Structures are given as C-alpha cells and as structure tokens.
Amino acid sequence: MSLREFLTALATDASQLTAFQANPDKAMQDAGLSSEEQELVKSRDEARIRQYIQGSGEGDTFLVAINSSQAPE
Amino acid sequence: MFDENLVVVGTGIRVVGQLTIESMSWIQRADRILHIVEDALAVDVLSNLNPSARQSTLTHLYGENKPRAETYEEMVQTIMQNVRESGLTVCVLYGHPGVMAYPGHEAIRRARAEGFKVRMLPAVSAEDCLFADLGIDPATNGCQTWEATDVMWKDRQIDPTSHLVLWQIGAVGDLTFHKGRYNLLALPLLVEKLYRWYPPEHLVTVYEAALMLGCEPLVRTLPLSGLSAEVVTARSTLSIPPARTVKADAVVYENYKALSISKG
C-alpha cells in the first residue's frame, strides 16, 4: 500500500498503530511501503511528508482558520 | 439516546492518533457528513469511515482574500440545510470543534432553535498540544487564552502573573482567508501593546503542533521584541509565560488559615 493509505489505516486501527509504534521498520515493510517512503517517514520531516502525501492525490493542503475576531463597536 | 440530528466532532490536531473512537462511530453512522479539515489525508480517513465524506468538504467556501466571516456564515447555512434534509448530519472540524471555531457552535445553536437534537464532542485542540509539548499545566499559574486579533484591538486586561496563549498570531489583524501567508502589518501593534505587561526581553514561544505521526512540533523561543512576521505562520500559536509572580490575597489568606482546613 502507499504511504498515504498506510497513515490512513493507522488513524482508525489501534492494533496497526501499536504495531507501528513497537517496530516502525517492520510495520512499514509489512505494509509494502517503498524504500523511499520508509526513509521519508523516518526522516520525520513533516513538510516533506505532507508534500509527498498531497502529491499522490487530489486536494490542496492549506491552513484552516475557523475563527475570526469581531471588530470592536 | 444517540438519536441526535446534528453532531459536531473534531479530528484533533493530528488526525492519525487523535481522532476518538466515539467520533469515528458518529462519522460512520452519519447520513450526511460535512467537514472542514486540513488535508487530503484527513479526507481519506473520513472517507474510509463513511464514503459520503469524499465529496462533502466545506473548505471550498474559502476564497483567497474573501472575508472569513462570510465563509463561516455560508458554512453554517450549508450545515443547516443538511440537518433539515437528513436524519443525522455529522460535521467534522479540524482540532477541537468548539475551540477557535465558529461554524460548529453556531450551527448547533441554530439547529437547537429549530427543534433539532444536537451535540458537540470535545477533541484535541492546538492548546492541548501546546500544554503537552511545552510542559505547561494551566493549574500552576492559570491560563488566559485569547485570539490574537481580539487582544490587539479590544480593551483586554492581561494578567502578567498568569500564562497567556494567543491564538492565530500568524493571522493577526487579517480577517480574510489566504492559502499562504497572511498580512501581518498589524503584528507590531500587538507587540507594542503587550509591552504594557511584558518587558521587550521577556521570552515567548512560537508554537506549531505536529500534524504528522512521528514528527516533532515547532517550538521557537525568542524575546517578545523579536516577534515579527518572519517567525510566525498561519499555524502558529503564541505562548507567553508569566512575567512576575502573584502575591497572596492577604486578607482572605489569613481568614483561610483561621479555618484550619489543611493541617500538615
């Protein structure tokens, strides 16, 4: 599976997340991640990881602001 | 029980690991899902739980340079339309759905007014991540939490003996939406105002929670005088520790001691 699919699975499957935490290399190998993807995860470079994930699917990543202060009266 | 018409949940700041089991169950049950989440990974997670999430983002309502208040109103109206048309609508927001997030609370207020059964579930907010990553317990000195623009232009009285968290420091004074950086011409106004309570050399921390599993947060500590547009992004939260210690309330404390409640 792809890195994006792997991370998606970890979000909802506690046993897979546990396995990843216990042995990240084995969990990524068992999931079939490419060498490039495994190195990317181990780099812990969030910007590169997010850019890689966004590049493999639709949608933009952007910074959500869901609050806006009201101007004083 | 569990027969709500509108449930508002949050993904947490890092969707992988912070999405609660309870929120997942509501997402799976939903007839309609509407979401405001940060990236394609979050959409994938929601869509795996409920395929209807794939085409139900509300983020398309943002527009470059468009006033955010206008977008939030459109979001609320869209949520309400879905609530009226379906049995169960679940609205998924980034972080905690009720912290620094207008659409969830407002949709709940309007839905309740129309007679619908509603609920909001708590989730991990940026401030929760900040407390954990920076080792801050709000019980130690108390914690004031405000939106940065609010402090900038309103007559707030800050207590410099208590911790201060300023949200959306990377968007202060800019009420529009941008995919990139915000216009921070107003940031110096805020910094100047903070000098009323903190000396320029007071150390503050620009904080950005990790969004990816296994990654570290961004933690940049610098003097307040060094706070500028170059050191913040739209994801930044500003953490300001107390500048001085608080004194006892002499009269009350003496009266308390006279009660002899705590001995030893």
Side-chain angles (χ1 to χ4, degrees):
Chain A
M1 65 175 64
S2 70
L3 174 58
R4 186 163 147 179
E5 291 168 333
F6 178 66
L7 292 175
T8 299
L10 295 184
T12 57
D13 189 327
S15 60
Q16 288 195 51
L17 181 56
T18 299
F20 177 67
Q21 289 180 345
N23 191 333
D25 286 337
K26 182 177 188 305
M28 289 191 288
Q29 287 163 13
D30 289 347
L33 266 59
S34 68
S35 299
E36 178 195 7
E37 289 173 330
Q38 293 183 44
E39 286 307 308
L40 189 57
V41 170
K42 289 190 284 188
S43 76
R44 307 176 77 180
D45 185 333
E46 185 172 285
R48 283 182 55 216
I49 295 171
R50 297 189 82 205
Q51 187 174 22
Y52 178 85
I53 289 173
Q54 289 301 126
S56 60
E58 74 285 358
D60 289 332
T61 299
F62 59 92
L63 303 161
V64 175
I66 331 180
N67 177 274
S68 179
S69 178
Q70 296 295 312
E73 296 177 359
Chain B
M1 195 161 60
F2 308 121
D3 57 348
E4 282 81 353
N5 306 111
L6 171 63
V7 178
V8 180
V9 305
T11 61
I13 297 301
R14 175 167 48 76
V15 64
V16 180
Q18 294 178 2
L19 183 61
T20 70
I21 291 174
E22 187 178 14
S23 294
M24 287 185 218
S25 71
W26 282 108
I27 293 168
Q28 286 183 313
R29 290 182 53 205
D31 300 310
R32 304 275 181 99
I33 292 184
L34 299 165
H35 54 81
I36 311 168
V37 296
E38 262 215 352
D39 54 32
L41 177 62
V43 176
D44 282 355
V45 172
L46 299 182
S47 301
N48 273 11
L49 291 168
N50 190 320
S52 67
R54 179 62 64 189
Q55 301 297 332
S56 53
T57 180
L58 292 176
T59 55
H60 68 277
L61 295 173
Y62 285 111
E64 192 68 22
N65 297 311
K66 179 180 175 182
R68 299 201 302 275
E70 193 177 311
T71 295
Y72 303 150
E73 176 59 28
E74 292 170 354
M75 288 175 171
V76 173
Q77 290 182 15
T78 303
I79 295 169
M80 286 306 302
Q81 180 182 348
N82 281 267
V83 172
R84 297 183 190 110
E85 294 174 354
S86 70
L88 170 62
T89 296
V90 175
C91 183
V92 187
L93 304 185
Y94 163 74
H96 185 303
V99 176
M100 295 292 148
Y102 172 83
H105 280 303
E106 182 60 17
I108 280 183
R109 188 192 68 78
R110 294 187 195 181
R112 182 180 287 124
E114 290 189 17
F116 293 105
K117 195 167 178 182
V118 299
R119 187 170 302 280
M120 177 181 284
L121 300 182
V124 176
S125 73
E127 188 175 77
D128 296 325
C129 296
L130 183 153
F131 289 155
D133 287 330
L134 300 188
I136 296 168
D137 182 349
T140 303
N141 291 297
C143 185
Q144 306 157 101
T145 192
W146 278 305
E147 201 271 340
T149 301
D150 183 282
V151 169
M152 188 266 295
W153 62 17
K154 290 184 181 174
D155 189 19
R156 294 288 181 195
Q157 299 306 312
I158 290 175
D159 178 0
T161 68
S162 177
H163 204 91
L164 175 62
V165 174
L166 293 182
W167 297 73
Q168 298 185 164
I169 188 70
V172 63
D174 189 345
L175 305 187
T176 63
F177 172 80
H178 300 283
K179 279 195 172 183
R181 301 184 71 83
Y182 283 72
N183 182 334
L184 297 181
L185 283 178
L187 182 55
L189 295 179
L190 174 61
V191 174
E192 192 70 28
K193 183 170 183 177
L194 289 173
Y195 289 159
R196 299 182 194 175
W197 300 280
Y198 307 96
E201 63 272 18
H202 189 65
L203 293 179
V204 302
T205 298
V206 174
Y207 170 80
E208 295 178 11
L211 300 182
M212 282 283 142
L213 187 67
C215 296
E216 294 295 323
L218 182 146
V219 178
R220 182 185 288 131
T221 300
L222 69 165
L224 177 58
S225 59
L227 191 62
S228 67
E230 287 71 36
V231 300
V232 298
T233 73
R235 284 174 51 191
S236 302
T237 303
L238 187 66
S239 173
I240 304 181
R244 55 184 175 85
T245 56
V246 64
K247 299 176 184 178
D249 183 318
V251 172
V252 174
Y253 189 47
E254 286 304 312
N255 291 340
Y256 165 78
K257 285 193 289 186
L259 295 174
S260 300
I261 295 175
S262 301
K263 296 182 180 178

